[in-house]
Amino acid sequence: MGRQAGCSKGKGGSMHFYKKDSNFYGGHGIVGAQVPLGCGLAFAQKYSKDETVTFALYGDGAANQGQLFEALNISALWDLPAILVCENNHYGMGTAEWRAAKSPAYYKRGDYVPGLKVDGMDAFAVKQACKFAKEHAMKNGPIILEMDTYRYHGHSMSDPGSTYRTRDEISGVRQERDPIERVRKLILSHDLATEKELKDIEKEVRKEVDDAIAQAKESPMPEPSELFTNVYAKGLGVESFGADRKEVRATLP
Amino acid sequence: MALRNIMGKRVGIGLMGSRALSTATCDVESGSAKSINLYSAINQALHVALETDPRAFVFGEDVSFGGVFRCTTGLADRFGKARVFNTPLCEQGIVGFGIGLAAMGNRAIAEIQFADYIYPAFDQIVNEAAKFRYRSGNQFNCGGLTIRAPYGAVGHGGHYHSQSPEAFFCHVPGIKVVIPRSPRQAKGLLLSCIRDPNPVVFFEPKWLYRLAVEEVPEHDYMLPLSEAEVIRQGSDITLVGWGAQLSIMEQACIEAEKDGISCELIDLKTLIPWDKETVEASVRKTGRVLISHEAPVTGGFGAEISASIVECCFLRLEAPVARVCGLDTPFPLVFEPFYMPTKNKILDAIKATVNY
């Protein structure tokens, strides 16, 4: 929303969430660009020997980017603890996967890098797969996880999501494979909670989200001077001066 | 700020004699015209291109259903999936593939979905497309390649849906860079670019896709490349710009007129190779020049124009060359209104230059 209280202090926008203390290195607007970055993170982790791994997520659209294969080769060559996760929702915005990829078996595209296909709509399967992948990556190097999932809405604000697929398809998936519904049914059938208890949780969550939105809306916009901060490291580079900050001068430490 | 028609008026091009770099003009004025917007004009140009040349192809991400800006509507239905097709999400692949297609004598019209995404293809454009003819001693070329990309600010685009990367490409001899300001210009210029025997990068001002509406002739016509157009006559200061920025500059000119400053406004249209003669002639008349573009000021194409004008017209200049451009930051999200070269910034600069 571009507010000061936001995770990138209002500068990043909707695509660019970051959270350093959760080790979330962020969303990326240029799809595919984050995979080599992820492999770089994994290299640093291997170096530091701190038993951590990196999950680099991308979509079925971005799976056709050349830089992905470059990163894959490097990770495999150097046995990096990188887990490449392809969130396959079957559409690269408006282009169906069979139209964009010769082989839509994204988990196999690693060739010399092993891959696992996971039902992305099953929360438990995803959890197990990630656990397995982490153990594998720490011992043997990169692995690909393909999460078979779906996108109900359009790709972005300007995409209605209905010009390239039928509404029946969307509602069909929602009825049969919705991940939250699946968990709900499991909970109810195993008597782990009652309907009412689940409804209460839902109400609580909704309230939490509404509160967060209200808080976000109340947060002020960043100061105009913030336009110029963090272009370079502070004090070591270029600062803008002048009435409309047009003049740019190098400032040396 | 509401935008209405951008003037399509052509002031007499009898300013200078022959233009060595321009390409042929077909008759623009005859025939019927219809009031349409920018994306429709581009769509018409693409229809004409595919109709008149059976070896023309249109391809890119999501172009089949009409594209994210509807510029390619109806093409797949009319010309078939063998000539109008979607590509995977791989800009480098799209351009490289286009170069190959063009090298075999076809007209490859590649779409990069947003100019912000063009960088993976930069190597192909700079190292392959621009140098193919040169390094093969004219045995081979990819002149049939035209790359179209929407560029420019749109109000809410943020870092990756608003960039103006034209300056990067203006530094590459071997390709042409063309930017239209309005629907009528776009159709004629795009057809010229497609038919030009050199690889061309055609940036379309996305902000104007729906906003700009103009009478556009329905027939096949081309507008000359490397010919700038004086779209407003004046005598006190020359303003040079391209694309969507011209409408902002025009508003500043109108305001300046109220203060008695007569502004001459030039649409560069082709950025490389650019029409130095027209700009120079205008500067010799007015003695002052102001360049404006959305891209950041440092290293923007305005710098090249400024340096060239100083070289040729130093003694004629009454004031330093003014540049009113984007700031030297990544294209911001919420700060867009501060970043942009607005009408008031241009007006201030006009006054400062005239009163120097």
Side-chain angles (χ1 to χ4, degrees), chain B residues 279-280 283-284 286-289 305-321 356:
Chain B
V279 179
E280 190 185 332
V283 177
R284 288 201 181 284
T286 63
R288 296 174 192 87
V289 62
I305 300 174
S306 175
S308 290
I309 292 297
V310 168
E311 251 175 357
C312 69
C313 308
F314 179 70
L315 289 175
R316 175 67 187 93
L317 286 173
E318 306 281 339
V321 176
Y356 186 74

mmCIF file with all atom_site columns, all heavy atoms in Angstrom, chain B residues 279-280 283-284 286-289 305-321 356:
data_model
loop_
_atom_site.group_PDB
_atom_site.id
_atom_site.type_symbol
_atom_site.label_atom_id
_atom_site.label_alt_id
_atom_site.label_comp_id
_atom_site.label_asym_id
_atom_site.label_entity_id
_atom_site.label_seq_id
_atom_site.pdbx_PDB_ins_code
_atom_site.Cartn_x
_atom_site.Cartn_y
_atom_site.Cartn_z
_atom_site.occupancy
_atom_site.B_iso_or_equiv
_atom_site.pdbx_formal_charge
_atom_site.auth_seq_id
_atom_site.auth_comp_id
_atom_site.auth_asym_id
_atom_site.auth_atom_id
_atom_site.pdbx_PDB_model_num
ATOM 1   N N   . VAL B 1 279 ? 16.254 19.990 -35.202 1.00 0.00 ? 279 VAL B N   1
ATOM 2   C CA  . VAL B 1 279 ? 16.436 20.580 -33.875 1.00 0.00 ? 279 VAL B CA  1
ATOM 3   C C   . VAL B 1 279 ? 17.406 21.756 -33.949 1.00 0.00 ? 279 VAL B C   1
ATOM 4   O O   . VAL B 1 279 ? 17.172 22.825 -33.376 1.00 0.00 ? 279 VAL B O   1
ATOM 5   C CB  . VAL B 1 279 ? 16.946 19.507 -32.877 1.00 0.00 ? 279 VAL B CB  1
ATOM 6   C CG1 . VAL B 1 279 ? 17.157 20.114 -31.513 1.00 0.00 ? 279 VAL B CG1 1
ATOM 7   C CG2 . VAL B 1 279 ? 15.954 18.363 -32.782 1.00 0.00 ? 279 VAL B CG2 1
ATOM 8   N N   . GLU B 1 280 ? 18.468 21.581 -34.707 1.00 0.00 ? 280 GLU B N   1
ATOM 9   C CA  . GLU B 1 280 ? 19.457 22.654 -34.825 1.00 0.00 ? 280 GLU B CA  1
ATOM 10  C C   . GLU B 1 280 ? 18.839 23.902 -35.445 1.00 0.00 ? 280 GLU B C   1
ATOM 11  O O   . GLU B 1 280 ? 19.045 25.009 -34.955 1.00 0.00 ? 280 GLU B O   1
ATOM 12  C CB  . GLU B 1 280 ? 20.623 22.169 -35.697 1.00 0.00 ? 280 GLU B CB  1
ATOM 13  C CG  . GLU B 1 280 ? 21.784 23.119 -35.683 1.00 0.00 ? 280 GLU B CG  1
ATOM 14  C CD  . GLU B 1 280 ? 22.904 22.716 -36.636 1.00 0.00 ? 280 GLU B CD  1
ATOM 15  O OE1 . GLU B 1 280 ? 23.042 21.499 -36.898 1.00 0.00 ? 280 GLU B OE1 1
ATOM 16  O OE2 . GLU B 1 280 ? 23.617 23.609 -37.093 1.00 0.00 ? 280 GLU B OE2 1
ATOM 17  N N   . VAL B 1 283 ? 16.839 25.657 -32.871 1.00 0.00 ? 283 VAL B N   1
ATOM 18  C CA  . VAL B 1 283 ? 17.644 26.324 -31.845 1.00 0.00 ? 283 VAL B CA  1
ATOM 19  C C   . VAL B 1 283 ? 18.295 27.580 -32.406 1.00 0.00 ? 283 VAL B C   1
ATOM 20  O O   . VAL B 1 283 ? 18.419 28.597 -31.706 1.00 0.00 ? 283 VAL B O   1
ATOM 21  C CB  . VAL B 1 283 ? 18.706 25.360 -31.279 1.00 0.00 ? 283 VAL B CB  1
ATOM 22  C CG1 . VAL B 1 283 ? 19.598 26.070 -30.267 1.00 0.00 ? 283 VAL B CG1 1
ATOM 23  C CG2 . VAL B 1 283 ? 18.039 24.178 -30.611 1.00 0.00 ? 283 VAL B CG2 1
ATOM 24  N N   . ARG B 1 284 ? 18.650 27.518 -33.681 1.00 0.00 ? 284 ARG B N   1
ATOM 25  C CA  . ARG B 1 284 ? 19.228 28.718 -34.294 1.00 0.00 ? 284 ARG B CA  1
ATOM 26  C C   . ARG B 1 284 ? 18.200 29.836 -34.334 1.00 0.00 ? 284 ARG B C   1
ATOM 27  O O   . ARG B 1 284 ? 18.546 31.006 -34.285 1.00 0.00 ? 284 ARG B O   1
ATOM 28  C CB  . ARG B 1 284 ? 19.728 28.425 -35.705 1.00 0.00 ? 284 ARG B CB  1
ATOM 29  C CG  . ARG B 1 284 ? 20.979 27.584 -35.692 1.00 0.00 ? 284 ARG B CG  1
ATOM 30  C CD  . ARG B 1 284 ? 21.795 27.680 -36.979 1.00 0.00 ? 284 ARG B CD  1
ATOM 31  N NE  . ARG B 1 284 ? 22.960 26.805 -36.864 1.00 0.00 ? 284 ARG B NE  1
ATOM 32  C CZ  . ARG B 1 284 ? 24.049 27.091 -36.136 1.00 0.00 ? 284 ARG B CZ  1
ATOM 33  N NH1 . ARG B 1 284 ? 24.120 28.246 -35.487 1.00 0.00 ? 284 ARG B NH1 1
ATOM 34  N NH2 . ARG B 1 284 ? 25.038 26.234 -36.052 1.00 0.00 ? 284 ARG B NH2 1
ATOM 35  N N   . THR B 1 286 ? 15.553 30.114 -32.036 1.00 0.00 ? 286 THR B N   1
ATOM 36  C CA  . THR B 1 286 ? 15.145 30.586 -30.712 1.00 0.00 ? 286 THR B CA  1
ATOM 37  C C   . THR B 1 286 ? 16.297 30.915 -29.778 1.00 0.00 ? 286 THR B C   1
ATOM 38  O O   . THR B 1 286 ? 16.169 31.768 -28.903 1.00 0.00 ? 286 THR B O   1
ATOM 39  C CB  . THR B 1 286 ? 14.293 29.510 -30.008 1.00 0.00 ? 286 THR B CB  1
ATOM 40  O OG1 . THR B 1 286 ? 15.106 28.351 -29.807 1.00 0.00 ? 286 THR B OG1 1
ATOM 41  C CG2 . THR B 1 286 ? 13.079 29.136 -30.833 1.00 0.00 ? 286 THR B CG2 1
ATOM 42  N N   . GLY B 1 287 ? 17.419 30.194 -29.932 1.00 0.00 ? 287 GLY B N   1
ATOM 43  C CA  . GLY B 1 287 ? 18.567 30.445 -29.063 1.00 0.00 ? 287 GLY B CA  1
ATOM 44  C C   . GLY B 1 287 ? 18.476 29.759 -27.709 1.00 0.00 ? 287 GLY B C   1
ATOM 45  O O   . GLY B 1 287 ? 19.362 29.888 -26.870 1.00 0.00 ? 287 GLY B O   1
ATOM 46  N N   . ARG B 1 288 ? 17.384 29.033 -27.449 1.00 0.00 ? 288 ARG B N   1
ATOM 47  C CA  . ARG B 1 288 ? 17.267 28.356 -26.157 1.00 0.00 ? 288 ARG B CA  1
ATOM 48  C C   . ARG B 1 288 ? 16.669 26.975 -26.383 1.00 0.00 ? 288 ARG B C   1
ATOM 49  O O   . ARG B 1 288 ? 15.838 26.795 -27.262 1.00 0.00 ? 288 ARG B O   1
ATOM 50  C CB  . ARG B 1 288 ? 16.346 29.133 -25.214 1.00 0.00 ? 288 ARG B CB  1
ATOM 51  C CG  . ARG B 1 288 ? 16.858 30.498 -24.846 1.00 0.00 ? 288 ARG B CG  1
ATOM 52  C CD  . ARG B 1 288 ? 15.830 31.254 -24.022 1.00 0.00 ? 288 ARG B CD  1
ATOM 53  N NE  . ARG B 1 288 ? 16.224 32.640 -23.913 1.00 0.00 ? 288 ARG B NE  1
ATOM 54  C CZ  . ARG B 1 288 ? 15.923 33.573 -24.790 1.00 0.00 ? 288 ARG B CZ  1
ATOM 55  N NH1 . ARG B 1 288 ? 15.208 33.264 -25.866 1.00 0.00 ? 288 ARG B NH1 1
ATOM 56  N NH2 . ARG B 1 288 ? 16.331 34.824 -24.630 1.00 0.00 ? 288 ARG B NH2 1
ATOM 57  N N   . VAL B 1 289 ? 17.083 26.015 -25.563 1.00 0.00 ? 289 VAL B N   1
ATOM 58  C CA  . VAL B 1 289 ? 16.501 24.685 -25.724 1.00 0.00 ? 289 VAL B CA  1
ATOM 59  C C   . VAL B 1 289 ? 16.281 24.002 -24.374 1.00 0.00 ? 289 VAL B C   1
ATOM 60  O O   . VAL B 1 289 ? 17.079 24.167 -23.441 1.00 0.00 ? 289 VAL B O   1
ATOM 61  C CB  . VAL B 1 289 ? 17.357 23.807 -26.684 1.00 0.00 ? 289 VAL B CB  1
ATOM 62  C CG1 . VAL B 1 289 ? 18.748 23.595 -26.132 1.00 0.00 ? 289 VAL B CG1 1
ATOM 63  C CG2 . VAL B 1 289 ? 16.704 22.480 -26.960 1.00 0.00 ? 289 VAL B CG2 1
ATOM 64  N N   . ILE B 1 305 ? 21.351 14.931 -26.765 1.00 0.00 ? 305 ILE B N   1
ATOM 65  C CA  . ILE B 1 305 ? 20.825 16.078 -27.524 1.00 0.00 ? 305 ILE B CA  1
ATOM 66  C C   . ILE B 1 305 ? 21.501 17.346 -27.057 1.00 0.00 ? 305 ILE B C   1
ATOM 67  O O   . ILE B 1 305 ? 21.925 18.191 -27.854 1.00 0.00 ? 305 ILE B O   1
ATOM 68  C CB  . ILE B 1 305 ? 19.295 16.184 -27.350 1.00 0.00 ? 305 ILE B CB  1
ATOM 69  C CG1 . ILE B 1 305 ? 18.623 14.916 -27.868 1.00 0.00 ? 305 ILE B CG1 1
ATOM 70  C CG2 . ILE B 1 305 ? 18.764 17.399 -28.086 1.00 0.00 ? 305 ILE B CG2 1
ATOM 71  C CD1 . ILE B 1 305 ? 17.142 14.859 -27.604 1.00 0.00 ? 305 ILE B CD1 1
ATOM 72  N N   . SER B 1 306 ? 21.630 17.466 -25.728 1.00 0.00 ? 306 SER B N   1
ATOM 73  C CA  . SER B 1 306 ? 22.252 18.662 -25.159 1.00 0.00 ? 306 SER B CA  1
ATOM 74  C C   . SER B 1 306 ? 23.679 18.831 -25.658 1.00 0.00 ? 306 SER B C   1
ATOM 75  O O   . SER B 1 306 ? 24.074 19.914 -26.119 1.00 0.00 ? 306 SER B O   1
ATOM 76  C CB  . SER B 1 306 ? 22.227 18.539 -23.634 1.00 0.00 ? 306 SER B CB  1
ATOM 77  O OG  . SER B 1 306 ? 22.905 19.598 -23.048 1.00 0.00 ? 306 SER B OG  1
ATOM 78  N N   . ALA B 1 307 ? 24.450 17.760 -25.581 1.00 0.00 ? 307 ALA B N   1
ATOM 79  C CA  . ALA B 1 307 ? 25.852 17.839 -26.013 1.00 0.00 ? 307 ALA B CA  1
ATOM 80  C C   . ALA B 1 307 ? 25.947 18.212 -27.489 1.00 0.00 ? 307 ALA B C   1
ATOM 81  O O   . ALA B 1 307 ? 26.761 19.046 -27.891 1.00 0.00 ? 307 ALA B O   1
ATOM 82  C CB  . ALA B 1 307 ? 26.551 16.507 -25.741 1.00 0.00 ? 307 ALA B CB  1
ATOM 83  N N   . SER B 1 308 ? 25.106 17.607 -28.308 1.00 0.00 ? 308 SER B N   1
ATOM 84  C CA  . SER B 1 308 ? 25.136 17.887 -29.747 1.00 0.00 ? 308 SER B CA  1
ATOM 85  C C   . SER B 1 308 ? 24.776 19.321 -30.053 1.00 0.00 ? 308 SER B C   1
ATOM 86  O O   . SER B 1 308 ? 25.392 19.962 -30.912 1.00 0.00 ? 308 SER B O   1
ATOM 87  C CB  . SER B 1 308 ? 24.156 16.977 -30.475 1.00 0.00 ? 308 SER B CB  1
ATOM 88  O OG  . SER B 1 308 ? 24.608 15.669 -30.460 1.00 0.00 ? 308 SER B OG  1
ATOM 89  N N   . ILE B 1 309 ? 23.760 19.821 -29.347 1.00 0.00 ? 309 ILE B N   1
ATOM 90  C CA  . ILE B 1 309 ? 23.333 21.200 -29.606 1.00 0.00 ? 309 ILE B CA  1
ATOM 91  C C   . ILE B 1 309 ? 24.425 22.188 -29.197 1.00 0.00 ? 309 ILE B C   1
ATOM 92  O O   . ILE B 1 309 ? 24.704 23.158 -29.891 1.00 0.00 ? 309 ILE B O   1
ATOM 93  C CB  . ILE B 1 309 ? 22.016 21.504 -28.854 1.00 0.00 ? 309 ILE B CB  1
ATOM 94  C CG1 . ILE B 1 309 ? 20.878 20.686 -29.468 1.00 0.00 ? 309 ILE B CG1 1
ATOM 95  C CG2 . ILE B 1 309 ? 21.685 22.984 -28.892 1.00 0.00 ? 309 ILE B CG2 1
ATOM 96  C CD1 . ILE B 1 309 ? 20.586 21.013 -30.904 1.00 0.00 ? 309 ILE B CD1 1
ATOM 97  N N   . VAL B 1 310 ? 25.050 21.910 -28.059 1.00 0.00 ? 310 VAL B N   1
ATOM 98  C CA  . VAL B 1 310 ? 26.126 22.807 -27.621 1.00 0.00 ? 310 VAL B CA  1
ATOM 99  C C   . VAL B 1 310 ? 27.262 22.794 -28.633 1.00 0.00 ? 310 VAL B C   1
ATOM 100 O O   . VAL B 1 310 ? 27.840 23.825 -28.972 1.00 0.00 ? 310 VAL B O   1
ATOM 101 C CB  . VAL B 1 310 ? 26.619 22.395 -26.220 1.00 0.00 ? 310 VAL B CB  1
ATOM 102 C CG1 . VAL B 1 310 ? 27.906 23.105 -25.872 1.00 0.00 ? 310 VAL B CG1 1
ATOM 103 C CG2 . VAL B 1 310 ? 25.550 22.703 -25.189 1.00 0.00 ? 310 VAL B CG2 1
ATOM 104 N N   . GLU B 1 311 ? 27.541 21.632 -29.175 1.00 0.00 ? 311 GLU B N   1
ATOM 105 C CA  . GLU B 1 311 ? 28.609 21.507 -30.172 1.00 0.00 ? 311 GLU B CA  1
ATOM 106 C C   . GLU B 1 311 ? 28.342 22.372 -31.389 1.00 0.00 ? 311 GLU B C   1
ATOM 107 O O   . GLU B 1 311 ? 29.227 23.052 -31.909 1.00 0.00 ? 311 GLU B O   1
ATOM 108 C CB  . GLU B 1 311 ? 28.687 20.047 -30.650 1.00 0.00 ? 311 GLU B CB  1
ATOM 109 C CG  . GLU B 1 311 ? 29.886 19.324 -30.164 1.00 0.00 ? 311 GLU B CG  1
ATOM 110 C CD  . GLU B 1 311 ? 29.855 17.846 -30.552 1.00 0.00 ? 311 GLU B CD  1
ATOM 111 O OE1 . GLU B 1 311 ? 28.871 17.368 -31.152 1.00 0.00 ? 311 GLU B OE1 1
ATOM 112 O OE2 . GLU B 1 311 ? 30.847 17.183 -30.234 1.00 0.00 ? 311 GLU B OE2 1
ATOM 113 N N   . CYS B 1 312 ? 27.096 22.332 -31.866 1.00 0.00 ? 312 CYS B N   1
ATOM 114 C CA  . CYS B 1 312 ? 26.820 23.031 -33.123 1.00 0.00 ? 312 CYS B CA  1
ATOM 115 C C   . CYS B 1 312 ? 26.371 24.457 -32.932 1.00 0.00 ? 312 CYS B C   1
ATOM 116 O O   . CYS B 1 312 ? 26.572 25.308 -33.803 1.00 0.00 ? 312 CYS B O   1
ATOM 117 C CB  . CYS B 1 312 ? 25.778 22.266 -33.936 1.00 0.00 ? 312 CYS B CB  1
ATOM 118 S SG  . CYS B 1 312 ? 24.152 22.312 -33.204 1.00 0.00 ? 312 CYS B SG  1
ATOM 119 N N   . CYS B 1 313 ? 25.743 24.746 -31.774 1.00 0.00 ? 313 CYS B N   1
ATOM 120 C CA  . CYS B 1 313 ? 25.102 26.053 -31.640 1.00 0.00 ? 313 CYS B CA  1
ATOM 121 C C   . CYS B 1 313 ? 25.597 26.859 -30.450 1.00 0.00 ? 313 CYS B C   1
ATOM 122 O O   . CYS B 1 313 ? 24.887 27.724 -29.956 1.00 0.00 ? 313 CYS B O   1
ATOM 123 C CB  . CYS B 1 313 ? 23.592 25.869 -31.483 1.00 0.00 ? 313 CYS B CB  1
ATOM 124 S SG  . CYS B 1 313 ? 22.864 24.859 -32.760 1.00 0.00 ? 313 CYS B SG  1
ATOM 125 N N   . PHE B 1 314 ? 26.786 26.586 -29.986 1.00 0.00 ? 314 PHE B N   1
ATOM 126 C CA  . PHE B 1 314 ? 27.268 27.211 -28.759 1.00 0.00 ? 314 PHE B CA  1
ATOM 127 C C   . PHE B 1 314 ? 27.116 28.732 -28.773 1.00 0.00 ? 314 PHE B C   1
ATOM 128 O O   . PHE B 1 314 ? 26.595 29.328 -27.824 1.00 0.00 ? 314 PHE B O   1
ATOM 129 C CB  . PHE B 1 314 ? 28.732 26.833 -28.541 1.00 0.00 ? 314 PHE B CB  1
ATOM 130 C CG  . PHE B 1 314 ? 29.347 27.441 -27.323 1.00 0.00 ? 314 PHE B CG  1
ATOM 131 C CD1 . PHE B 1 314 ? 28.957 27.018 -26.066 1.00 0.00 ? 314 PHE B CD1 1
ATOM 132 C CD2 . PHE B 1 314 ? 30.312 28.432 -27.423 1.00 0.00 ? 314 PHE B CD2 1
ATOM 133 C CE1 . PHE B 1 314 ? 29.517 27.567 -24.924 1.00 0.00 ? 314 PHE B CE1 1
ATOM 134 C CE2 . PHE B 1 314 ? 30.883 28.990 -26.281 1.00 0.00 ? 314 PHE B CE2 1
ATOM 135 C CZ  . PHE B 1 314 ? 30.483 28.555 -25.035 1.00 0.00 ? 314 PHE B CZ  1
ATOM 136 N N   . LEU B 1 315 ? 27.564 29.363 -29.837 1.00 0.00 ? 315 LEU B N   1
ATOM 137 C CA  . LEU B 1 315 ? 27.553 30.828 -29.853 1.00 0.00 ? 315 LEU B CA  1
ATOM 138 C C   . LEU B 1 315 ? 26.146 31.381 -30.019 1.00 0.00 ? 315 LEU B C   1
ATOM 139 O O   . LEU B 1 315 ? 25.877 32.523 -29.678 1.00 0.00 ? 315 LEU B O   1
ATOM 140 C CB  . LEU B 1 315 ? 28.473 31.350 -30.958 1.00 0.00 ? 315 LEU B CB  1
ATOM 141 C CG  . LEU B 1 315 ? 29.957 31.145 -30.670 1.00 0.00 ? 315 LEU B CG  1
ATOM 142 C CD1 . LEU B 1 315 ? 30.816 31.560 -31.858 1.00 0.00 ? 315 LEU B CD1 1
ATOM 143 C CD2 . LEU B 1 315 ? 30.380 31.911 -29.415 1.00 0.00 ? 315 LEU B CD2 1
ATOM 144 N N   . ARG B 1 316 ? 25.262 30.570 -30.517 1.00 0.00 ? 316 ARG B N   1
ATOM 145 C CA  . ARG B 1 316 ? 23.883 31.050 -30.698 1.00 0.00 ? 316 ARG B CA  1
ATOM 146 C C   . ARG B 1 316 ? 23.092 30.963 -29.398 1.00 0.00 ? 316 ARG B C   1
ATOM 147 O O   . ARG B 1 316 ? 22.117 31.677 -29.208 1.00 0.00 ? 316 ARG B O   1
ATOM 148 C CB  . ARG B 1 316 ? 23.200 30.200 -31.792 1.00 0.00 ? 316 ARG B CB  1
ATOM 149 C CG  . ARG B 1 316 ? 21.732 30.512 -31.994 1.00 0.00 ? 316 ARG B CG  1
ATOM 150 C CD  . ARG B 1 316 ? 21.522 31.917 -32.563 1.00 0.00 ? 316 ARG B CD  1
ATOM 151 N NE  . ARG B 1 316 ? 20.122 32.267 -32.610 1.00 0.00 ? 316 ARG B NE  1
ATOM 152 C CZ  . ARG B 1 316 ? 19.466 32.928 -31.651 1.00 0.00 ? 316 ARG B CZ  1
ATOM 153 N NH1 . ARG B 1 316 ? 20.107 33.283 -30.531 1.00 0.00 ? 316 ARG B NH1 1
ATOM 154 N NH2 . ARG B 1 316 ? 18.178 33.221 -31.772 1.00 0.00 ? 316 ARG B NH2 1
ATOM 155 N N   . LEU B 1 317 ? 23.515 30.062 -28.499 1.00 0.00 ? 317 LEU B N   1
ATOM 156 C CA  . LEU B 1 317 ? 22.722 29.832 -27.288 1.00 0.00 ? 317 LEU B CA  1
ATOM 157 C C   . LEU B 1 317 ? 22.714 31.040 -26.366 1.00 0.00 ? 317 LEU B C   1
ATOM 158 O O   . LEU B 1 317 ? 23.750 31.649 -26.101 1.00 0.00 ? 317 LEU B O   1
ATOM 159 C CB  . LEU B 1 317 ? 23.256 28.604 -26.529 1.00 0.00 ? 317 LEU B CB  1
ATOM 160 C CG  . LEU B 1 317 ? 22.937 27.235 -27.147 1.00 0.00 ? 317 LEU B CG  1
ATOM 161 C CD1 . LEU B 1 317 ? 23.673 26.134 -26.405 1.00 0.00 ? 317 LEU B CD1 1
ATOM 162 C CD2 . LEU B 1 317 ? 21.438 26.963 -27.126 1.00 0.00 ? 317 LEU B CD2 1
ATOM 163 N N   . GLU B 1 318 ? 21.520 31.360 -25.878 1.00 0.00 ? 318 GLU B N   1
ATOM 164 C CA  . GLU B 1 318 ? 21.353 32.486 -24.951 1.00 0.00 ? 318 GLU B CA  1
ATOM 165 C C   . GLU B 1 318 ? 21.366 32.000 -23.509 1.00 0.00 ? 318 GLU B C   1
ATOM 166 O O   . GLU B 1 318 ? 21.422 32.801 -22.577 1.00 0.00 ? 318 GLU B O   1
ATOM 167 C CB  . GLU B 1 318 ? 20.009 33.175 -25.202 1.00 0.00 ? 318 GLU B CB  1
ATOM 168 C CG  . GLU B 1 318 ? 19.784 33.611 -26.639 1.00 0.00 ? 318 GLU B CG  1
ATOM 169 C CD  . GLU B 1 318 ? 20.525 34.896 -26.940 1.00 0.00 ? 318 GLU B CD  1
ATOM 170 O OE1 . GLU B 1 318 ? 20.862 35.617 -25.996 1.00 0.00 ? 318 GLU B OE1 1
ATOM 171 O OE2 . GLU B 1 318 ? 20.763 35.158 -28.133 1.00 0.00 ? 318 GLU B OE2 1
ATOM 172 N N   . ALA B 1 319 ? 21.208 30.696 -23.332 1.00 0.00 ? 319 ALA B N   1
ATOM 173 C CA  . ALA B 1 319 ? 21.106 30.139 -21.977 1.00 0.00 ? 319 ALA B CA  1
ATOM 174 C C   . ALA B 1 319 ? 21.572 28.697 -22.021 1.00 0.00 ? 319 ALA B C   1
ATOM 175 O O   . ALA B 1 319 ? 21.613 28.096 -23.098 1.00 0.00 ? 319 ALA B O   1
ATOM 176 C CB  . ALA B 1 319 ? 19.653 30.197 -21.517 1.00 0.00 ? 319 ALA B CB  1
ATOM 177 N N   . PRO B 1 320 ? 21.944 28.148 -20.862 1.00 0.00 ? 320 PRO B N   1
ATOM 178 C CA  . PRO B 1 320 ? 22.349 26.734 -20.853 1.00 0.00 ? 320 PRO B CA  1
ATOM 179 C C   . PRO B 1 320 ? 21.191 25.851 -21.306 1.00 0.00 ? 320 PRO B C   1
ATOM 180 O O   . PRO B 1 320 ? 20.021 26.205 -21.155 1.00 0.00 ? 320 PRO B O   1
ATOM 181 C CB  . PRO B 1 320 ? 22.672 26.455 -19.384 1.00 0.00 ? 320 PRO B CB  1
ATOM 182 C CG  . PRO B 1 320 ? 22.773 27.761 -18.724 1.00 0.00 ? 320 PRO B CG  1
ATOM 183 C CD  . PRO B 1 320 ? 22.001 28.750 -19.532 1.00 0.00 ? 320 PRO B CD  1
ATOM 184 N N   . VAL B 1 321 ? 21.541 24.680 -21.846 1.00 0.00 ? 321 VAL B N   1
ATOM 185 C CA  . VAL B 1 321 ? 20.511 23.726 -22.257 1.00 0.00 ? 321 VAL B CA  1
ATOM 186 C C   . VAL B 1 321 ? 19.841 23.187 -20.994 1.00 0.00 ? 321 VAL B C   1
ATOM 187 O O   . VAL B 1 321 ? 20.509 22.747 -20.066 1.00 0.00 ? 321 VAL B O   1
ATOM 188 C CB  . VAL B 1 321 ? 21.134 22.559 -23.046 1.00 0.00 ? 321 VAL B CB  1
ATOM 189 C CG1 . VAL B 1 321 ? 20.082 21.526 -23.375 1.00 0.00 ? 321 VAL B CG1 1
ATOM 190 C CG2 . VAL B 1 321 ? 21.818 23.089 -24.295 1.00 0.00 ? 321 VAL B CG2 1
ATOM 191 N N   . TYR B 1 356 ? 17.272 33.904 -18.360 1.00 0.00 ? 356 TYR B N   1
ATOM 192 C CA  . TYR B 1 356 ? 18.649 33.658 -17.920 1.00 0.00 ? 356 TYR B CA  1
ATOM 193 C C   . TYR B 1 356 ? 19.521 34.925 -17.969 1.00 0.00 ? 356 TYR B C   1
ATOM 194 O O   . TYR B 1 356 ? 19.497 35.621 -18.992 1.00 0.00 ? 356 TYR B O   1
ATOM 195 C CB  . TYR B 1 356 ? 19.255 32.574 -18.810 1.00 0.00 ? 356 TYR B CB  1
ATOM 196 C CG  . TYR B 1 356 ? 20.614 32.134 -18.374 1.00 0.00 ? 356 TYR B CG  1
ATOM 197 C CD1 . TYR B 1 356 ? 20.773 31.326 -17.248 1.00 0.00 ? 356 TYR B CD1 1
ATOM 198 C CD2 . TYR B 1 356 ? 21.739 32.549 -19.068 1.00 0.00 ? 356 TYR B CD2 1
ATOM 199 C CE1 . TYR B 1 356 ? 22.030 30.924 -16.842 1.00 0.00 ? 356 TYR B CE1 1
ATOM 200 C CE2 . TYR B 1 356 ? 22.995 32.140 -18.679 1.00 0.00 ? 356 TYR B CE2 1
ATOM 201 C CZ  . TYR B 1 356 ? 23.136 31.330 -17.559 1.00 0.00 ? 356 TYR B CZ  1
ATOM 202 O OH  . TYR B 1 356 ? 24.399 30.927 -17.164 1.00 0.00 ? 356 TYR B OH  1
#
